[in-house]
């Protein structure tokens, strides 16, 4: 599992793709990479694919990178595959979990990232039944009924980093919203990873899980981060 320090993170630039780290002080998931592997995880390695017809010009594919393609609260993955893998825009600290001291909630940030047209969109989505945070397969759309929106982003001008979360816009309780990481065994601070990422929604039992915030750091690689994530 890879760990980073705040000082090693790269500033988030406008119109930039970003990598994401979990933030939960004094926990086993603090400052860990959030990666794509059939869903989103902490404590796993990024899984991607590039066809042999593209080699040797494949993107790196060894890191999970998100993108900002729209202003509708949707999140997208930064990929090269035709059709794209569009994912969610984030940055708002959940009312369920107190804001980190270095990420004041008073600075909300938004922008439009220009992309070539991608049809159909391949998006980061939330399964309405399980609350898992997932992403659509290449060349496919999220399943009907999936939750596609609600991702918010807050920018901190003091250190030029961002924080990301998901807001439960359909919920009827102020206690819902935000993300949690659930261990594959055990629970809470003593749970054993890897940890799968879920949205905290009404009816979801998060008693075994850890709530966390997301820190976003600018991705400086050339071109897309992966051909496609799997």
């Amino acid at each position: 599992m890879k760990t980073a320090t705040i000082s090693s993170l790269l500033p988030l630039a406008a119109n930039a793709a970003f990598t994401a780290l979990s933030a939960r002080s004094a926990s086993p998931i603090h400052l860990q990479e959030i990666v794509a592997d059939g869903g989103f995880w902490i404590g796993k390695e990024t899984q991607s694919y590039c066809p042999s017809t593209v080699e040797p010009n494949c993107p790196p594919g060894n890191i999970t990178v998100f993108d900002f393609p729209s202003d509708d609260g949707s999140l997208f993955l930064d990929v090269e595959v035709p059709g794209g893998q569009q994912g969610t825009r984030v940055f708002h600290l959940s009312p369920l979990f107190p804001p980190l001291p270095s990420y004041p909630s008073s600075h909300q940030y938004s922008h439009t990232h220009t992309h070539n047209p991608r049809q159909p969109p391949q998006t980061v989505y939330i399964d309405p039944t399980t609350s898992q945070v997932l992403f659509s397969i290449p060349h496919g759309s999220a399943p009907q009924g999936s939750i596609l929106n609600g991702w918010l982003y807050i920018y901190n001008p003091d250190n030029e980093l961002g924080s990301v979360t998901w807001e439960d816009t359909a919920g009827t309780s102020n206690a819902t919203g935000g993300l949690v990481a659930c261990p594959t065994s055990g629970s809470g601070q003593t749970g054993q990873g890897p940890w799968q990422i879920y949205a905290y929604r009404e009816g979801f039992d998060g008693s075994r899980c850890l709530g966390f915030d997301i820190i976003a750091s600018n991705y400086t690689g050339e071109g897309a981060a992966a051909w496609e994530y799997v």
Side-chain angles (χ1 to χ4, degrees):
M1 186 181 301
K2 299 177 182 177
T3 304
T5 62
I6 295 291
S7 61
S8 69
L9 298 176
L10 293 168
L12 187 71
N15 298 326
F18 66 91
T19 58
L21 296 180
S22 56
R24 167 84 181 219
S25 298
S27 81
I29 65 170
H30 189 49
L31 297 183
Q32 305 298 325
E33 290 184 41
I34 295 173
V35 304
D37 179 5
F40 292 98
W41 296 80
I42 297 168
K44 282 192 170 187
E45 298 294 327
T46 294
Q47 298 298 313
S48 64
Y49 167 77
C50 186
S52 58
T53 53
V54 178
E55 295 176 351
N57 299 312
C58 292
N62 60 351
I63 188 171
T64 300
V65 178
F66 299 88
D67 207 355
F68 293 94
S70 70
D71 286 323
D72 64 354
S74 300
L75 185 62
F76 302 82
L77 290 168
D78 186 48
V79 295
E80 190 172 318
V81 61
Q85 259 175 313
Q86 299 186 3
T88 305
R89 186 156 81 78
V90 272
F91 291 96
H92 164 76
L93 296 180
S94 165
L96 181 64
F97 311 111
L100 298 173
S102 57
Y103 301 97
S105 58
S106 59
H107 298 95
Q108 184 163 343
Y109 170 76
S110 66
H111 69 270
T112 301
H113 187 88
T114 303
H115 271 265
N116 293 327
R118 292 176 169 179
Q119 297 295 333
Q122 299 183 355
T123 186
V124 173
Y125 68 92
I126 295 167
D127 185 299
T129 302
T130 66
S131 293
Q132 291 173 300
V133 183
L134 304 168
F135 55 92
S136 59
I137 62 173
H139 312 293
S141 299
Q144 186 173 3
S146 298
I147 301 168
L148 306 177
N149 308 111
W151 298 95
L152 300 173
Y153 164 80
I154 290 177
Y155 174 69
N156 184 359
D158 295 332
N159 56 20
E160 297 185 293
L161 294 173
S163 63
V164 175
T165 196
W166 174 77
E167 186 175 76
D168 187 7
T169 56
T172 59
S173 170
N174 290 332
T176 62
L179 302 174
V180 296
C182 303
T184 51
S185 64
S187 62
Q189 300 281 6
T190 60
Q192 299 297 311
W195 290 262
Q196 187 166 12
I197 296 176
Y198 292 79
Y200 193 82
R201 303 174 58 239
E202 290 185 79
F204 177 76
D205 181 8
S207 58
R208 296 178 54 251
C209 310
L210 295 173
F212 68 94
D213 295 305
I214 294 177
I215 299 171
S217 177
N218 187 31
Y219 173 67
T220 59
E222 295 184 5
W227 178 261
E228 64 187 51
Y229 292 104
V230 295

